[in-house]
Amino acid sequence: LMRAWICDGALLVALNSSAFGDHVADWGRLLAEVGHHIAKAAALNGYMREEDAQATLRDAFVAGFGHVSPGASGHLRGRQQH
């Protein structure tokens, strides 16, 4: 559904934008589930408590919507029939 990586200091993201159709809330649930895994990993690594990691992730997520990266761009590829 989604790939993310760092290249030359920039975050690059590729995703199957039509995976959930117009059910955008499903993307939110997917991101929340990923957040739970990240928080759990932070706790298991001893970086912080899981609850603190969740709060930090939530704050960063909300703050991230306040600005768009200057290098952010995007386009849709043609649909592929399988």
Side-chain angles (χ1 to χ4, degrees), residues 1-51:
L1 293 174
M2 178 173 32
R3 293 180 185 169
W5 65 99
I6 304 292
C7 182
D8 294 329
L11 174 63
L12 303 174
V13 179
L15 57 90
N16 178 350
S17 62
S18 61
F20 297 122
D22 65 348
H23 301 276
V24 176
D26 290 337
W27 282 106
R29 284 190 285 283
L30 171 70
L31 293 172
E33 186 65 28
V34 170
H36 283 289
H37 285 275
I38 293 168
K40 174 67 83 178
L44 290 172
N45 281 311
Y47 300 143
M48 63 181 70
R49 292 179 329 115
E50 186 172 350
E51 296 79 14

